[in-house]
């Protein structure tokens, strides 16, 4: 083995030792601490973490503990509960929630929006009638920007153009910041139809793309906890996307959120949920249209 290979090997061994040492320094996430975190996330945000999620929670929070210089989850929880600003809670949420999303995810919803919902709205359109769409649990913005691009193309076909209001909300401030920045790595645009990429994105460095300011300015981003008792918005929406959000929720939380969304939909308005989610027919106030699509009947 030559000198450079020896040096590389010894560095690798030292790094491994260090990793083990750091790992050993941290007191593992105990029952009481896990229960505290799980109960708090459930009561405040409806997020249900089963006991099987314990390793996942420990894994996702370990880096945060290290950043703060804590060696136990007990100390972290003391710190979390003493922080009345809510900023640590926000950090915790950013780490626990899964913000996975992509442009035109579950393409059938966008086809349904274009072929069924928008023509229906055009028929009822009266001057000044605003078209309002809400992306609830918008993560890093791909869902609402897909909607915005689709609306721009749709209304360029010359049908009555309503005022458009797009609202996008999430509990995670980090996700909202990413959405508002509107810069996406190359890989994130792979599924995006070319007509949208060429028109609405410009290169931002070699490995990312930036969404056009005209699309960005169509959207209002706000932080909102879907489990809150009341939402601050005025008026109702024509369409609500709440997709792949309620997967975190248990049945009670899901019903509570579904009822809140119902109140915020116009009569005849549509709710889209994720394809892997479903609403219980016996308690659901909506009319079932097709998988993952519901309507508020008269
Ligand atoms: C997997 S992403 C879904 C993104 C997008 N809707 C989609 O289907 O691609 C789920 C999002 O729900 C958000 N979320 C989880 N619990 C929430 C709550 N109680 N209130 C608001 N947003 C929440 C998460 O922060 C995350 O960004």
């Amino acid at each position: 083995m030559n000198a450079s290979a020896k040096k590389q090997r010894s560095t690798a061994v030292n790094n491994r030792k260090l990793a083990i040492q750091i790992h050993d320094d941290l007191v593992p996430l105990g029952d009481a601490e896990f229960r505290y975190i799980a109960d708090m996330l459930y009561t405040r945000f409806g997020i249900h973490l089963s006991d099987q999620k314990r390793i996942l929670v420990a894994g996702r929070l370990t880096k945060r503990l290290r950043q703060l210089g804590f060696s136990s989850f007990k100390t972290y929880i003391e710190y979390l509960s003493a922080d009345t600003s809510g900023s640590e809670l926000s950090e915790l949420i950013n780490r626990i929630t899964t913000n996975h999303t992509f442009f035109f995810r579950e393409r059938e919803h966008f086809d349904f929006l274009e072929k069924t919902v928008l023509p229906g709205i055009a028929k009822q359109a009266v001057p000044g009638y605003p078209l309002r769409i809400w992306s609830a649990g918008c993560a890093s913005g791909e869902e609402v920007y897909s909607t915005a691009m689709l609306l721009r193309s749709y209304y360029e076909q010359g049908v009555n153009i309503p005022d458009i209001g797009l609202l996008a909300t999430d509990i995670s401030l980090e996700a909202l910041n990413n959405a508002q920045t509107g810069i996406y790595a190359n890989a994130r645009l792979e599924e995006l139809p070319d007509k949208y990429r060429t028109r609405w994105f410009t290169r931002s460095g070699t490995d990312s793309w930036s969404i056009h300011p005209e699309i960005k300015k169509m959207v209002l981003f706000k932080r909102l906890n879907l489990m809150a008792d009341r939402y601050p918005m005025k008026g109702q929406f024509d369409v609500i996307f709440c997709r792949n959000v309620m997967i975190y929720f248990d049945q009670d939380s899901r019903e509570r959120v579904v009822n809140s969304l119902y109140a915020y939909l116009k009569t005849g308005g549509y709710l889209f949920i994720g394809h892997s989610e479903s609403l219980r027919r016996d308690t659901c106030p909506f009319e079932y249209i097709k998988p993952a699509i519901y309507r508020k009947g008269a």
Side-chain angles (χ1 to χ4, degrees):
M1 193 186 290
N2 65 27
S4 136
K6 262 192 199 151
K7 194 168 168 218
Q8 266 181 12
R9 188 163 166 223
S10 127
T11 312
V13 170
N14 284 340
N15 283 347
R16 233 182 355 257
K17 275 191 195 148
L18 189 63
I20 291 166
Q21 210 179 323
I22 290 173
H23 191 259
D24 283 346
D25 279 351
L26 199 69
V27 180
L29 176 63
D31 273 348
E33 291 85 28
F34 174 68
R35 276 274 51 91
Y36 177 91
I37 293 173
D39 289 350
M40 195 260 298
L41 289 175
Y42 178 68
T43 1
R44 303 209 36 186
F45 307 106
I47 297 172
H48 175 66
L49 297 171
S50 63
D51 288 341
Q52 283 87 322
K53 293 278 163 62
R54 186 154 144 182
I55 294 174
L56 178 135
V57 170
R60 291 197 177 173
L61 292 184
T62 296
K63 196 165 158 216
R64 181 65 184 150
L65 263 71
R66 296 219 169 101
Q67 274 172 355
L68 293 166
F70 296 150
S71 58
S72 78
F73 285 91
K74 188 165 178 286
T75 326
Y76 176 68
I77 286 172
E78 282 161 11
Y79 173 79
L80 177 70
S81 26
D83 172 34
T84 50
S85 72
S87 84
E88 190 51 39
L89 187 58
S90 185
E91 283 288 344
L92 174 72
I93 285 287
N94 291 343
R95 283 169 166 75
I96 297 295
T97 54
T98 301
N99 307 118
H100 175 70
T101 182
F102 49 93
F103 288 102
F104 290 94
R105 180 180 197 175
E106 300 177 7
R107 180 74 226 200
E108 311 80 74
H109 284 158
F110 294 95
D111 292 343
F112 188 84
L113 181 66
E114 184 172 7
K115 301 203 170 84
T116 307
V117 181
L118 296 178
I121 285 170
K123 268 191 216 140
Q124 321 162 344
V126 284
Y129 174 92
L131 166 61
R132 298 184 76 209
I133 299 184
W134 175 18
S135 165
C138 63
S140 39
E142 286 88 332
E143 179 176 272
V144 75
Y145 286 142
S146 303
T147 310
M149 292 186 285
L150 185 147
L151 291 175
R152 284 295 298 253
S153 303
Y154 183 82
Y155 287 113
E156 270 164 12
Q157 292 165 15
V159 276
N160 287 349
I161 303 177
D163 291 337
I164 295 173
L166 295 180
L167 173 70
T169 62
D170 203 282
I171 189 69
S172 161
L173 282 177
E174 188 176 315
L176 286 169
N177 281 340
N178 291 337
Q180 276 167 307
T181 307
I183 295 181
Y184 299 95
N186 290 347
R188 308 286 291 275
L189 269 70
E190 268 164 17
E191 300 295 318
L192 185 71
D194 271 352
K195 64 171 182 175
Y196 293 124
R197 185 208 311 250
T198 47
R199 173 131 189 233
W200 297 119
F201 287 84
T202 47
R203 276 242 170 244
S204 161
T206 48
D207 48 16
S208 52
W209 295 81
S210 182
I211 197 151
H212 200 288
E214 263 189 59
I215 295 295
K216 258 202 220 177
K217 75 173 191 229
M218 290 172 71
V219 186
L220 176 68
F221 288 99
K222 288 277 174 203
R223 183 164 194 235
L224 183 135
N225 177 7
L226 287 166
M227 285 296 287
D229 289 335
R230 282 196 285 127
Y231 303 157
M233 297 86 76
K234 292 201 175 69
Q236 293 171 309
F237 293 83
D238 297 276
V239 177
I240 299 177
F241 286 85
C242 187
R243 307 185 310 159
N244 308 298
V245 178
M246 292 184 281
I247 30 172
Y248 297 108
F249 300 169
D250 70 353
Q251 187 55 30
D252 285 351
S253 311
R254 201 173 298 143
E255 274 175 26
R256 180 175 163 167
V257 170
V258 166
N259 286 324
S260 302
L261 298 179
Y262 186 82
Y264 275 87
L265 254 191
K266 293 177 187 167
T267 301
Y270 290 90
L271 170 71
F272 296 121
I273 63 171
H275 275 100
S276 59
E277 301 166 305
S278 61
L279 304 182
R280 266 176 53 177
R281 291 202 183 195
D282 53 338
T283 54
C284 168
F286 290 98
E287 199 183 304
Y288 171 85
I289 302 296
K290 49 158 89 180
I293 303 181
Y294 294 83
R295 190 170 196 200
K296 180 169 175 174

